[in-house]
Amino acid sequence: MKKSAIKPTESELEILQILWESGPSTVRFINDRLNLSKKVGYTTTLKIMQIMAEKGILSRNTESRTHIYSSNISQDDAQQQMLDKLLKTVFGGSAKKLVIQALGNHKSTQTELEEIKKLINDLEGGEK
Amino acid sequence: MKKSAIKPTESELEILQILWESGPSTVRFINDRLNLSKKVGYTTTLKIMQIMAEKGILSRNTESRTHIYSSNISQDDAQQQMLDKLLKTVFGGSAKKLVIQALGNHKSTQTELEEIKKLINDLEGGEK
DNA sequence: TTTTGTTTACGAAAACATTCGTAGAATAAA
DNA sequence: TTTATTCTACGAATGTTTTCGTAAACAAAA
């Protein structure tokens, strides 16, 4: 079964980030977090989260008056699909170019680099 | 000097892709290309490209009646900025996770993998 | 209890993106 | 020259996203 495309809007993505990081949350919590980096009204955040729930992106628990929202799409699935898309639309499909760009411009620890090398060795082995 | 954020819309990105690949082009050429994968009217494409020119994303040469459009943003800059953003918003800043996902799910040639390993070795050397 | 604050629901405005019809100018074909 | 085609400009309709004001329900504080 093919998963339907994950295409959150800009605002939706900001909210998803917080939910991925912090788990199920209230509108108040999300809005406070958003306001650390930009001014946004409470009802604005509420509205967007309600729309996300309608769209099926979020679920909500309405047992208590203060609703608790959680993401229906995993960070993994979003990563997979959005990476694929970026690769196709901006990198012309070249994973190598993307990887080099990612490694070259962002500090990675020695350990991380070793892990990546190990992965590459595995991939090479598997293709023999 | 900090470069202003590159944030093309969906349609704009499709057009940029073609310009990056084929170089300066006419509206007709772009529209024909777009129509290989989806139906879109000529004046629609024209309008979007005119708007892109207004925004400064494209330049156009109007010497002849048929205008020639070219991209003002390089594929490299777009790659850099959009990758940074994806990394921050969807991968929580973990380049490792992104790289692993990219390598794991897209066929890369032996040669490419070797080149990536070489890059990693260089990075490790540089940090000593 | 009364007042104050918090939360959801709703609707509508504002901003932005997409689509296309029509008109007029320039060119090409008949 | 006349007709048909191609192109730009323009404006408007449509669709989507973002923003927020207001009202009602509820809860907490005074």
Side-chain angles (χ1 to χ4, degrees):
Chain A
M1 177 185 57
K2 192 169 151 284
K3 214 162 274 171
S4 64
I6 294 172
K7 220 175 45 176
T9 66
E10 201 61 22
S11 304
E12 289 174 347
L13 196 51
E14 290 175 337
I15 289 169
L16 284 173
Q17 272 180 81
I18 298 171
L19 287 171
W20 285 330
E21 188 192 316
S22 306
S25 311
T26 63
V27 175
R28 174 63 58 195
F29 178 81
I30 301 284
N31 186 246
D32 285 350
R33 283 299 216 79
L34 291 175
N35 273 280
L36 294 178
S37 48
K38 67 162 188 181
K39 185 182 100 27
V40 55
Y42 178 86
T43 54
T44 300
T45 303
L46 170 66
K47 181 68 158 190
I48 291 177
M49 292 177 73
Q50 286 173 337
I51 291 171
M52 291 171 82
E54 270 173 33
K55 287 186 186 173
I57 296 175
L58 304 184
S59 300
R60 62 176 174 176
N61 180 326
T62 59
E63 284 173 28
S64 55
R65 180 163 87 107
T66 303
H67 299 176
I68 311 280
Y69 290 78
S70 46
S71 173
N72 286 336
I73 61 184
S74 71
Q75 188 173 19
D76 267 9
D77 286 344
Q79 285 172 346
Q80 191 61 65
Q81 294 198 32
M82 297 183 71
L83 178 61
D84 284 0
K85 189 171 161 196
L86 186 74
L87 191 55
K88 221 175 43 173
T89 57
V90 184
F91 285 83
S94 165
K96 173 191 148 196
K97 185 91 200 290
L98 185 148
V99 166
I100 287 177
Q101 190 105 233
L103 290 178
N105 288 277
H106 305 279
K107 299 273 169 283
S108 298
T109 67
Q110 188 88 13
T111 311
E112 286 182 329
L113 292 175
E114 285 306 321
E115 287 173 330
I116 293 168
K117 269 207 288 193
K118 195 179 298 171
L119 172 74
I120 293 176
N121 285 330
D122 288 351
L123 289 175
E124 288 178 334
E127 282 177 12
K128 216 176 297 174
Chain B
M1 177 185 58
K2 190 168 154 285
K3 213 162 274 171
S4 65
I6 294 172
K7 219 174 46 176
T9 68
E10 202 60 21
S11 304
E12 288 173 348
L13 197 52
E14 290 175 337
I15 290 169
L16 284 172
Q17 272 180 80
I18 298 170
L19 287 171
W20 286 330
E21 187 191 317
S22 306
S25 310
T26 63
V27 175
R28 174 63 59 195
F29 178 81
I30 300 284
N31 186 248
D32 285 350
R33 284 298 216 77
L34 291 176
N35 274 279
L36 294 178
S37 48
K38 65 164 191 182
K39 185 183 100 27
V40 54
Y42 178 85
T43 54
T44 301
T45 303
L46 170 65
K47 181 67 158 188
I48 291 177
M49 291 177 74
Q50 285 173 337
I51 290 171
M52 290 172 81
E54 271 174 32
K55 288 184 185 173
I57 297 175
L58 304 183
S59 300
R60 62 177 174 175
N61 180 327
T62 60
E63 282 173 28
S64 55
R65 180 164 85 107
T66 303
H67 299 177
I68 310 279
Y69 290 78
S70 45
S71 172
N72 286 337
I73 60 185
S74 71
Q75 188 173 17
D76 267 9
D77 286 345
Q79 285 172 346
Q80 190 61 64
Q81 293 197 32
M82 296 182 73
L83 177 62
D84 285 359
K85 191 173 160 193
L86 185 75
L87 190 55
K88 219 174 43 170
T89 58
V90 184
F91 285 83
S94 164
K96 173 192 149 196
K97 185 89 200 292
L98 184 149
V99 166
I100 287 177
Q101 190 104 233
L103 290 179
N105 289 277
H106 305 278
K107 299 271 168 287
S108 297
T109 67
Q110 189 88 13
T111 312
E112 286 182 330
L113 292 176
E114 285 306 321
E115 287 175 330
I116 293 168
K117 269 208 289 194
K118 194 180 298 171
L119 171 72
I120 293 176
N121 285 329
D122 287 352
L123 288 175
E124 288 177 335
E127 282 178 11
K128 216 178 293 176

